[in-house]
Amino acid sequence: MNNSQTRRQFFASGKNLLGGAALASLLGESFATASEAKASGPHFPPKAKRIIYLHMVGGPSQMDLFDYKPVMQQWYDKELPESVRMGQRLTTMTSGQARFPVAPSKFKFSQAGQCGLWMNAELLPYLEKKADEICWMRSLHTEAINHEPAITAMQTGNQITGRPCLGSWASYGLGSMNENLPTFVVLVATPTNREQEQAISARLWSAGYLPGEHAGVSFRSKGDPILYINNPPGVPDAIRKRSIEGLNKLNEINYEALGDPETHTRIQQYELAFRMQASVPELTDLSSESEHTFELYGDEAKKPGTFANTALMARRLVERGVRFVQVYHNNWDHHSNVGGRMPSQCKDVDQPCYALLEDLKQRGMLDDTLIIWGGEFGRTIYTQGNLSKENYGRDHHPRCFSMWMAGGGAKGGAIYGETDDFSYNIVRDPLHIRDFHATVLHLLGFDHERFTYKYQGLDQRLTGVLPARVVDELLA
Amino acid sequence: MTSRFQHFVRRDRSCFLYAAAVCAASSMLAGFGAQVRAEPPLEYNRDIRPILAENCFACHGADSVARKADLRLDRREVAIEFEAITPGKPDASELIVRINEDDPDLVMPPPDTKKKLTAEQKETLKQWIAAGAEYQAHWSFIVPRRPEPPAVIDEAWVKNAIDRLVLARLEANGLSPTPEADARTLFRRLHLDITGLPPAPEDVAAFVSDYSQRQDDALSDWIDRLMESTAWGEHRARYWLDAARYGDTHGMHFDNYREMWPYRDWVIRAFNANQPFDQFTVEQIAGDLLSNPTLDQLIATGFQRCNMTTNEGGTIDEENLANYAVDRVQTFGWVYLGLTTNCGQCHDHKFDPFTTKDFYSLAAFFRNTTQPAKDGNVKDGRSTVLQVPVEADRPRWNALPGQIAAATANRDKRKENARGEFEQWLASANIESLDEALPVEGLVVHVPLNEGTGNETANACNSSEPFKATGEVTWTSDGKLGPAPVMKLGGTFDLGMLGDFEKDQSFSYGAWIKAGSDGINGGIIARMDENGDYRGWDLWQQGRFVAAHIIDSWPENALKVVTSNAVLKPGQWQHVFATYDGSGKPDGIKIYVDGKEEPLKVENNTLKPDASIRTGTSLRIGQRSHTQVFEGGAIQDVRVYRRAIDAAQVKSIADIVPLRSILATAPEQRTPERQAALYDHYLVTRDAEYPVLLKAVVDLEAEREAIRARSPITHIQEERKDSPPMAHVLMRGEYDRPGEQVDAATPAAMHPMPDGAPKNRLGLAQWLVDPANPLTARVTVNRFWNEVFGQGIVTTPEDFGVMGAAPTHPELLDWLAVEFRESGWDVKRLFKLVLMSATYRQAAITTPEKLERDRSNALLSRGPRFRMDAEMVRDGVLAASGLLSPKMYGAGTRPYQPEGIWDIVGLPGGDTRNYVQDKGENLYRRTVYTFWKRMAPPPALEAFNAPSREVCTVRRERTNTPLQALVSLNDPQFFEAARQLAQNALNASGGDAAKTIDYVAQHVLGRPMNEREQGILLADREAFLAYYQSKPDDAKALIAVGDSQADEKLDVSELAAWTMICNQVINLDEALNK
């Protein structure tokens, strides 16, 4: 995009008050904190220039999706051996249960692609087609055992709130790639079934101790996509343009009197606000999308707020230069009725995930766009509540869970990590969420140990103080 | 080279990674450092510690876990013992040798730390050791002393000691102050700093004139006057509420409503009363531990109850409690000590003399609380709360205990004196005379149901035909009044067309019943048509609950109330009675069990004003119209009244059966309880005086209960009485790895607790405000300074430790701290000193020279100018437009907010999932009263860097993003204010354009527009007017924004055009800046 031309077109009548550097400072940072608001840039050339992170809120059941445990069929209703459980702490939702009977997955698994991953192709037929383009991780683990701290840990590297999330770090490290839209956008999809949702708080996309402009901007599916983006009724763009021009002329007079450089920042702030106003309606108007697109994503993509619609919107955002799109899809917290709930959850996401990968590939963007899919922890092999062959519940399980990545330098067809027969303990290649964060930062071009921000006298970082490693096996 | 130092130093890669990540140090304020460093003699705090902290302390500092080779360079004696430093002999000091080493395996700091000393730094260290290597305590741990104000060249500029300390610094840097701001600008600044609101134009004019004549005297008077306004407390409070992390929700998971706004109001009142800051502190930390604490002192402890809490299923209590304590210690550290105590949660502080043990010793003060681990998702958090009657209720609330005591005494006295008359009555009393006490007025049905045989029963109050049963009746011998019928389908009673009531008539009904089993839902007494949308009324067994229905059609036009408690006891006789007052409201129904009114919950409340409950089906005992039977239950003594009888009458009906049996017993065989029951019956039903005296007590207690029910609650801190404060050190901060047990204690490296101070929060509070405390006063004045100048003298108000920013004006900070303390912690006085200073009065003009030499205004070479906080931005436009409501206090308000802000984070069933916007005045209240949902704070405020109030915030960020411009341009509350301002301006100016602009500018900016500005606005107004005249529909839509009505007398296009002009003016950089 040609910055200067856009500016000239827009403010043809005004004199050019600002250079490109000043504009950059507004997009990425505030003037007052200019010296500390931006990192020095990536440490090495990034594989992934952008990220679309699909967070499945509630903790999907790994052994019902990607962590195939055929032996469990023989363990139906048998007690989980103490040698497996090893006294691990449980949530207080099941710690009072008298028994911990094993609940084998009711779903049919089959091997997918060349990589041969055993997966639940019954519920994920689309994703199965992409098995060889996806980097499968079956040995994630975390310390957190309840949603709120676990989602926080997954997003910010720490269970305690107040740290910046991955998206904020990406914004801080790499800055903006466009001049009309935020760097970091959050989309919250509405699941078809909403009976067991978990709270998703704006604190998850807060910038923590990073400067506030690195916070995620939540685009909404109801009402204005960006808060206050629309002019009040009766104010057309031409009138708004005129009013901002007048406003800026007045501000310029004030600048002449006081000489405060912040006044110029203010002028840019209003220009950029106007450009956002102009570009967002185009962004959210799907009428320019071809029939092919809707065939790919499915008709659900036309309904605002569905996961399919959100996935399509995520593609449109990264296409327009948004650096990081965080998507939340809720209702994966299956304490009971795994059999009943899993189909609609999978149906919500299966085709759209496939479509997103395919769509980006067709547009030549998959190579430098990283897609991440996963929840905040896994679930237990033993049932919570009643057990039958067809139905069972599962409690939270932090000791192992599955996620996947694709594009952006992730290794397609890789299957990393292995759990025991009970999908309870990791037996090969444990992947702590810190390692995962370190690896994602690596794909973004950062050495996680040197990617820091000074706060409270310390060089803070996403991966915290405990050891973390970049996992080479996940890299293409 | 066989020193222990060399021997123990090993490079260990994994340890290094850990250490480097947590403690890599910041560069110091380069400009100032460079200025002073050249001046001998070297000082440890100023010249040496920054070098050591940056490069060495991570591995050779306070943290015992990260420490390498046991060497500490932050302690002189250890450094000397290890021969790292030999005072006076740099060449014999291992430290000097190692920093000059070429061998990468030996050089310090190690190459993989990426740290490197400059030649200048090396030389500085060398000189310092040569001069004796004297250490100093970190500056902030030394008790401040009032410095001698320095001499300055420009004596005439100085207004008070602040100026002397600022000017000396400016002169040393070759800068001179900026001339005073013009009087209008000064007054606007002053007004904003004191009240948080822009000045009224009349006040600006009055000040300008007064100030030109009386100068400092005028300024002093105006400051006093403005500080008297209640807006002062509202403005000061909001900074404190950030620090106290005040919010209106619990903060986690459901994030439901948590009521504690009386604490918010207390903070406002405390600032308005100019409560000395030491008292303000003691009451918030330990108000509950003062002797005979007042209501206000208890409310104040809410400071400690503002922390986020959870009720998430599955969370572990011990972990939650540990987290709550951590939050309190962190808040305490940031607010009072300016220390990042939270570092101590997992490890000894890397830089400051604050250990893990210190952390948990502080936590011990706060853990000895009755607060539970889970908040229950309810507004009282299932914890210690206080009922706080609103102002209007306070006189009665305070008077009631005395009046109740007096009325009770009168009642009891009569009870003493009536005994003789009772004995007389008792001598002649019999069963028939007992019945005389029963209410007969309005009695339409009285069916004893004690025949014992047959399939008929009689209505005792009506001698007409007996009622037939619906079939064969089964009788049981263990009735309450002889044999009783047992209900079954085909074995109930049909009373025909009795009880034909309408929903606006009052009536009462009930009976003795014995429920069959607890799994039954069935009609006890009913005139209700199951096949006609359940029209009618009934008394209903619902498992172990009793319900009453008043129905037109179920469920869309019906009332239903159910007892809150499981009151039915199957197999036991109980007296159950319902009364209905004909109001059509759920609170018009009462249900009594054994003569006692039961609390009810409303299960259906949809009865419409034009509803009818009359039905053609019969009144039945034991069932509704067709199938819903009181299966297996027995019923006797059914009564229906054509009016709502009162509680005493219900009680007399319930009492009559047991009284009969008491009376039937010989007097000498009656137990004292049974005799007392007879006496009570006599007093209530026969005595002339007693009922009146009893009613007086009941009425007063009801009044107290009514006040209690409508009073807000507030969370307070309460010490556990059964245990002394203690805590366990938690290994690496993990709740399930408890280590050593520690007592409550203040940090070991700081001054001791005052003599005689108790080892609890009260002692801790006394320690905070003790003159020996080096931090409290400094940290507090620094925050106040930050409020006025936009940055503190220490720019990290939360961190006065080694790694925090050094003070830009250390002597000024100390002078202010001592002044504050010695003045009796007088907040208004301190602010006045600052506001009277020449430093404050400077114009905010930035010249290229000052931009070059004092870019961030750290040296105070010009007046403060910065974008105002969210609250001031919003309150400012409301004030300028005349919309601002002066109403103070009360529950959180819900002004304009885009749809969908709350529900996106809300959970099903959560009570803050749906945002219901206020109407009228509450839309225009000051922002300090806005409801603060912590998971989704008010978005227009959040855009302007307002914090979520989840954790303590002592310094807000100040960024400028396009999202802010979108708020102040497009948010309905800003746009409505613009229209309101426009119409006020048009009405005041009679339509004259220049005068209209002047009105707007005076109200928003406190000054007139100059000619160029006017020209721009007039031209824009022409353009806007032309557009809106051509598009009147747009004009109409535009001026319709907001809840308030546009002035219909004004021309629509004209008003629309001026609204756009006002929208511009309130968006000016000048309007958004202080």
Side-chain angles (χ1 to χ4, degrees), chain B residues 430-588:
Chain B
N430 57 26
I431 286 181
E432 286 69 38
S433 59
L434 278 179
D435 285 354
E436 289 162 14
L438 293 177
V440 291
E441 189 196 337
L443 185 67
V444 290
V445 175
H446 177 209
V447 192
L449 282 172
N450 56 358
E451 286 80 359
T453 58
N455 301 321
E456 286 183 354
T457 189
N459 188 355
C461 72
N462 185 332
S463 58
S464 66
E465 290 298 295
F467 302 120
K468 289 198 181 340
T470 55
E472 285 296 316
V473 175
T474 309
W475 298 88
T476 170
S477 59
D478 72 333
K480 199 73 185 169
L481 332 143
V486 179
M487 300 299 138
K488 60 178 190 290
L489 193 60
T492 61
F493 293 91
D494 182 333
L495 273 50
M497 290 300 113
L498 291 170
D500 182 20
F501 301 121
E502 185 50 285
K503 73 125 196 346
D504 48 10
Q505 290 177 299
S506 57
F507 54 100
S508 311
Y509 51 108
W512 280 97
I513 65 165
K514 185 174 76 168
S517 77
D518 61 9
I520 299 296
N521 289 345
I524 300 167
I525 300 170
R527 180 164 175 156
M528 182 178 290
D529 185 359
E530 289 170 27
N531 290 351
D533 296 330
Y534 296 90
R535 177 171 293 195
W537 55 271
D538 74 355
L539 188 66
W540 176 252
Q541 177 188 2
Q542 182 162 304
R544 294 189 53 206
F545 299 82
V546 178
H549 295 86
I550 305 284
I551 299 177
D552 176 304
S553 57
W554 181 264
E556 64 278 4
N557 192 359
L559 280 185
K560 178 183 184 182
V561 295
V562 186
T563 55
S564 301
N565 302 314
V567 292
L568 279 186
K569 297 172 184 156
Q572 283 186 35
W573 282 99
Q574 294 174 288
H575 189 258
V576 179
F577 219 87
T579 66
Y580 170 63
D581 68 358
S583 65
K585 301 277 187 310
D587 59 8

Side-chain angles (χ1 to χ4, degrees), chain A residues 348-394:
Chain A
D348 278 359
V349 303
D350 181 40
Q351 185 179 351
C353 285
Y354 164 84
L356 188 56
L357 264 57
E358 186 60 27
D359 196 4
L360 288 170
K361 191 168 147 188
Q362 288 172 10
R363 286 162 202 269
M365 292 174 69
L366 187 59
D367 287 344
D368 55 8
T369 306
L370 181 67
I371 316 287
I372 302 171
W373 185 100
E376 63 269 24
F377 44 48
R379 308 204 78 86
T380 56
I381 189 71
Y382 64 79
T383 190
Q384 175 176 357
N386 296 335
L387 171 66
S388 73
K389 295 260 185 193
E390 283 304 300
N391 227 335
Y392 41 85
R394 299 195 190 278

Side-chain angles (χ1 to χ4, degrees), chain B residues 105-358:
Chain B
D105 284 339
L106 295 177
V107 66
M108 282 286 163
D112 49 8
T113 63
K114 310 279 194 295
K115 308 232 178 254
K116 205 161 188 269
L117 293 178
T118 65
E120 189 194 354
Q121 286 173 323
K122 290 178 186 173
E123 183 58 28
T124 304
L125 290 173
K126 190 174 170 186
Q127 282 180 24
W128 169 67
I129 292 178
E134 289 303 328
Y135 278 63
Q136 285 175 307
H138 179 59
W139 69 268
S140 68
F141 289 91
I142 303 169
V143 177
R145 293 214 177 78
R146 198 191 285 269
E148 202 56 49
V152 291
I153 300 164
D154 185 4
E155 283 285 342
W157 187 73
V158 172
K159 296 285 185 190
N160 60 30
I162 294 171
D163 299 326
R164 205 169 272 286
L165 290 157
V166 169
L167 185 58
R169 200 62 206 278
L170 286 175
E171 287 175 348
N173 283 275
L175 284 164
S176 49
T178 304
E180 187 168 305
D182 73 87
R184 289 171 177 283
T185 308
L186 177 61
F187 188 65
R188 177 171 180 269
R189 183 188 296 167
L190 203 61
H191 207 279
L192 287 166
D193 276 326
I194 296 175
T195 67
L197 298 170
E202 314 79 76
D203 286 346
V204 179
F207 174 83
V208 170
S209 148
D210 195 9
Y211 188 57
S212 71
Q213 292 158 35
R214 299 197 301 128
Q215 288 290 303
D216 290 359
D217 289 345
L219 187 62
S220 169
D221 289 351
W222 278 91
I223 290 174
D224 290 343
R225 195 177 307 168
L226 293 176
M227 283 183 176
E228 283 307 306
S229 132
T230 52
W232 156 264
E234 292 173 317
H235 183 49
R236 288 277 89 73
R238 70 170 186 82
Y239 294 100
W240 186 259
L241 294 170
D242 275 4
R245 70 246 187 273
Y246 168 81
D248 294 302
T249 59
H250 291 295
M252 297 213 259
H253 201 53
F254 269 79
D255 194 29
N256 269 358
Y257 179 52
R258 186 265 302 275
E259 188 160 273
M260 62 183 305
W261 55 261
Y263 169 72
R264 177 246 281 144
D265 291 351
W266 175 84
V267 174
I268 294 170
R269 288 191 173 94
F271 277 109
N272 275 333
N274 199 28
Q275 185 181 38
F277 190 81
D278 55 345
Q279 284 178 31
F280 181 73
T281 294
V282 170
E283 292 183 3
Q284 292 185 82
I285 301 292
D288 57 318
L289 298 174
L290 297 168
S291 59
N292 297 321
T294 62
L295 187 71
D296 277 345
Q297 286 169 335
L298 291 172
I299 295 171
T301 64
F303 175 76
Q304 292 166 70
R305 295 298 311 281
C306 286
N307 64 297
M308 284 200 290
T309 57
T310 189
N311 195 55
E312 185 177 343
T315 58
I316 293 160
D317 287 358
E318 194 52 33
E319 183 170 23
N320 293 341
L321 291 171
N323 288 342
Y324 301 166
V326 166
D327 174 86
R328 293 201 179 105
V329 176
Q330 171 176 289
T331 302
F332 178 83
W334 283 342
V335 173
Y336 283 109
L337 304 181
L339 290 179
T340 54
T341 54
N342 45 319
C343 296
Q345 189 189 344
C346 305
H347 53 77
D348 292 344
H349 202 289
K350 301 276 177 200
F351 310 104
D352 297 329
F354 188 83
T355 63
T356 300
K357 185 174 174 184
D358 288 330

Side-chain angles (χ1 to χ4, degrees), chain A residues 107-389:
Chain A
F107 300 104
K108 287 192 206 68
F109 278 64
S110 53
Q111 275 191 298
Q114 294 293 312
C115 72
L117 177 85
W118 284 90
M119 64 180 284
N120 180 348
E122 179 186 349
L123 297 185
L124 299 169
Y126 280 92
L127 208 56
E128 184 195 13
K129 299 183 211 170
K130 287 285 177 193
D132 290 336
E133 291 173 46
I134 288 174
C135 173
W136 303 96
M137 300 169 282
R138 301 188 300 193
S139 55
L140 269 293
H141 62 110
T142 177
E143 281 80 31
I145 195 165
N146 285 296
H147 300 285
E148 174 115 20
I151 301 174
T152 308
M154 198 67 225
Q155 288 295 329
T156 72
N158 197 304
Q159 294 187 44
I160 310 284
T161 58
R163 270 80 170 177
C165 62
L166 189 54
S168 296
W169 280 108
S171 166
Y172 165 67
L174 295 171
S176 173
M177 291 188 288
N178 77 88
E179 59 168 17
N180 303 326
L181 290 170
T183 311
F184 169 21
V185 171
V186 179
L187 302 169
V188 180
T190 310
T192 307
N193 178 325
R194 303 191 64 179
E195 59 190 285
Q196 194 119 27
E197 293 195 343
Q198 281 306 321
I200 310 170
S201 150
R203 79 170 71 103
L204 289 171
W205 50 88
S206 87
Y209 43 70
L210 291 176
E213 64 265 27
H214 300 300
V217 175
S218 168
F219 273 43
R220 298 139 25 99
S221 53
K222 266 200 298 192
D224 298 344
I226 292 183
L227 291 174
Y228 312 108
I229 191 79
N230 283 327
N231 288 327
V235 181
D237 284 349
I239 292 294
R240 176 55 84 211
K241 177 168 179 279
R242 168 107 198 185
S243 83
I244 290 182
E245 284 170 347
L247 180 59
N248 286 353
K249 279 186 241 166
L250 293 166
N251 279 339
E252 187 59 23
I253 293 172
N254 192 237
Y255 174 76
E256 286 167 19
L258 297 178
D260 186 347
E262 281 285 327
T263 306
H264 276 168
T265 313
R266 183 87 48 216
I267 291 171
Q268 300 162 39
Q269 181 189 0
Y270 278 75
E271 290 180 7
L272 180 52
F274 184 81
R275 285 200 304 277
M276 276 173 64
Q277 286 193 289
S279 62
V280 167
E282 185 277 328
L283 166 75
T284 53
D285 175 11
L286 300 184
S287 62
S288 61
E289 290 289 343
S290 67
E291 260 320 294
H292 170 72
T293 300
F294 292 107
E295 277 164 29
L296 201 53
Y297 287 83
D299 267 353
E300 284 287 293
K302 290 177 182 166
K303 281 192 218 157
T306 62
F307 183 82
N309 177 266
T310 304
L312 175 56
M313 196 59 72
R315 189 267 286 159
R316 290 175 69 88
L317 285 165
V318 295
E319 205 176 27
R320 284 160 181 75
V322 170
R323 179 74 70 182
F324 197 106
V325 181
Q326 177 72 52
V327 174
Y328 288 99
H329 182 256
N330 214 319
N331 208 45
W332 290 88
D333 187 25
H334 299 166
H335 288 281
S336 62
N337 196 12
V338 172
R341 287 175 181 158
M342 199 55 108
S344 84
Q345 291 299 109
C346 288
K347 187 162 194 315
D348 278 359
V349 303
D350 181 40
Q351 185 179 351
C353 285
Y354 164 84
L356 188 56
L357 264 57
E358 186 60 27
D359 196 4
L360 288 170
K361 191 168 147 188
Q362 288 172 10
R363 286 162 202 269
M365 292 174 69
L366 187 59
D367 287 344
D368 55 8
T369 306
L370 181 67
I371 316 287
I372 302 171
W373 185 100
E376 63 269 24
F377 44 48
R379 308 204 78 86
T380 56
I381 189 71
Y382 64 79
T383 190
Q384 175 176 357
N386 296 335
L387 171 66
S388 73
K389 295 260 185 193

Side-chain angles (χ1 to χ4, degrees), chain A residues 242 249, chain B residues 997 1014-1024 1061:
Chain A
R242 168 107 198 185
K249 279 186 241 166
Chain B
I997 288 178
Q1014 261 200 18
I1016 293 167
L1017 288 172
L1018 285 174
D1020 280 352
R1021 178 252 177 181
E1022 288 301 320
F1024 297 149
I1061 293 295

Side-chain angles (χ1 to χ4, degrees), chain A residues 26 29-32 89-93 145-149 159-161 188 194-195 197-203 205 208 210-213 217-218 220 222-223 226-236 239-240 242-247 249-251 253-254 256-263 265-266 269-270 272-274 276-277 396 449-450 454-461 464-466, chain B residues 13 17-18 21-26 114 251-253 308 312-316 319 323 334 340 342-343 351 732 735 799 803 844-846 851 855 865 867 898-901 903-908 913 935 939-940 942 950 957-972 975 1010 1012-1013 1016-1017 1019-1020 1023-1024 1027-1028 1034 1037-1038 1041 1060 1063-1064 1067-1070 1072-1073:
Chain A
L26 185 75
E29 69 204 49
S30 81
F31 195 86
R89 81 164 163 150
L90 308 171
T91 76
T92 51
M93 285 176 289
I145 195 165
N146 285 296
H147 300 285
E148 174 115 20
Q159 294 187 44
I160 310 284
T161 58
V188 180
R194 303 191 64 179
E195 59 190 285
E197 293 195 343
Q198 281 306 321
I200 310 170
S201 150
R203 79 170 71 103
W205 50 88
L210 291 176
E213 64 265 27
V217 175
S218 168
R220 298 139 25 99
K222 266 200 298 192
I226 292 183
L227 291 174
Y228 312 108
I229 191 79
N230 283 327
N231 288 327
V235 181
I239 292 294
R240 176 55 84 211
R242 168 107 198 185
S243 83
I244 290 182
E245 284 170 347
L247 180 59
K249 279 186 241 166
L250 293 166
N251 279 339
I253 293 172
N254 192 237
E256 286 167 19
L258 297 178
D260 186 347
E262 281 285 327
T263 306
T265 313
R266 183 87 48 216
Q269 181 189 0
Y270 278 75
L272 180 52
F274 184 81
M276 276 173 64
Q277 286 193 289
H396 309 165
E449 289 174 8
R450 287 190 289 141
K454 183 82 70 190
Y455 175 65
Q456 289 195 348
L458 302 177
D459 286 334
Q460 309 275 357
R461 60 190 208 197
V465 298
L466 296 171
Chain B
R13 190 169 157 73
L17 285 179
Y18 167 67
V22 280
C23 12
S26 67
K114 310 279 194 295
M252 297 213 259
H253 201 53
M308 284 200 290
E312 185 177 343
T315 58
I316 293 160
E319 183 170 23
N323 288 342
W334 283 342
T340 54
N342 45 319
C343 296
F351 310 104
R732 298 217 56 81
Y735 79 93
D799 190 1
M803 296 311 290
I845 294 170
T846 313
L851 204 54
R855 183 180 180 86
R865 181 180 195 276
R867 199 260 292 145
E899 64 168 320
I901 300 295
D903 51 4
I904 184 177
V905 300
L907 293 177
R913 194 183 201 193
M935 273 199 183
E942 206 182 15
E950 293 172 304
E957 269 195 273
R958 198 174 296 117
T959 57
N960 289 317
T961 77
L963 302 181
Q964 292 159 1
L966 295 175
V967 172
S968 46
L969 287 169
N970 299 337
D971 181 348
F975 207 72
N1010 66 34
R1012 273 170 73 199
E1013 292 169 325
I1016 293 167
L1017 288 172
D1020 280 352
F1024 297 149
Y1027 175 80
Y1028 286 110
D1034 274 358
L1038 183 156
V1041 171
M1060 289 307 297
N1063 184 250
Q1064 282 177 305
N1067 274 281
L1068 285 175
D1069 187 48
E1070 185 179 350
L1072 297 166
N1073 273 274

